[in-house]
Amino acid sequence: MTSSNGPSAAARVRSGSAGPPAEPLVGDRNELPDRIWTVPNALSVLRLLGVPLFLWLLLGPQADGWAVVVLMVAGLSDWADGKLARVLGQSSRLGALLDPAADRLYIVATLIAFVLRDVVPFWVVAVLVGRELVLGAMLLVLARYGYPPLQVHYLGKAATFNLLYAFPLLLLADGEGPVVAVVQPVAYAFTIWGGSLYVLAGVLYVVQVLGLVRAERAGVPAAGAAP
């Protein structure tokens, strides 16, 4: 839907002139080259392929040590693909989509495994997975009005960072031995910080989507920058 008073809100989002104030952007996805065969994209695909392996290790043989190794390798590749994209000049739209998708899949997969193994309470998983369902609905709303997915901001990245540190620590805290007493409070701290930031980032995303939709319906430019 477009406005007769000027470019559509979707177009203003693409140019970076619409939307409510938000956290700083991690690049502008719509200005990136449309590449597929790049080294960073290959790393992102490998990270995605590690999700079912990670889930099987947690639920099948319950090989927590190997599951932590897979998670650590995934975290390292997450850092490496962004670094290589900048160093090699191989940033791409596909890479900008694969990166957060892999992060979310690891988070959701871990939460499912944790609730099945009673590592964390069900309500924690319900809140975090519910956040993903709400954001999925927001993507449908954006598509309805012709918007691209909103950009990843630093609050969401910080939340993911905390959660990916919390998960292996929670596995260690679920075991036995003297190390549990030391690891447990650290694991809970990362879980609380990461979970709170994760939900807050989701709330901000919803606020931004609703602001853009209101601007589109009103047919007037919205102040601020894209999220």
Side-chain angles (χ1 to χ4, degrees), residues 194-211:
S196 300
L197 290 174
Y198 205 61
V199 171
L200 180 57
V203 170
L204 291 179
Y205 197 95
V206 171
V207 169
Q208 290 166 342
V209 170
L210 295 180

Side-chain angles (χ1 to χ4, degrees), residues 58-165:
L58 286 177
L59 296 179
Q62 295 193 5
D64 294 348
W66 285 111
V68 169
V69 169
V70 172
L71 196 61
M72 290 173 62
V73 171
L76 180 60
S77 70
D78 188 20
W79 170 84
D81 63 20
K83 184 73 172 177
L84 288 173
R86 290 187 293 272
V87 171
L88 301 176
Q90 293 185 348
S91 298
S92 66
R93 294 183 190 179
L94 179 61
L97 292 172
L98 288 177
D99 187 46
D103 290 341
R104 287 180 177 178
L105 280 175
Y106 272 103
I107 288 172
V108 172
T110 306
L111 290 172
I112 292 171
F114 278 8
V115 75
L116 291 176
R117 289 183 48 180
D118 276 336
V119 176
V120 295
F122 176 76
W123 67 266
V124 174
V125 176
V127 168
L128 296 182
V129 173
R131 182 257 198 198
E132 292 302 316
L133 294 176
V134 171
L135 261 60
M138 291 300 101
L139 291 176
L140 295 177
V141 172
L142 288 171
R144 166 68 178 82
Y145 285 90
Y147 294 104
L150 302 185
Q151 302 294 310
V152 175
H153 52 66
Y154 291 113
L155 184 61
K157 280 289 186 181
T160 301
F161 175 84
N162 277 278
L163 288 175
L164 292 180
Y165 264 89

Side-chain angles (χ1 to χ4, degrees), residues 165-185:
Y165 264 89
F167 293 155
L169 292 174
L170 285 170
L171 283 175
L172 292 174
D174 191 50
E176 298 179 354
V179 72
V180 172
V182 177
V183 170
Q184 199 170 60

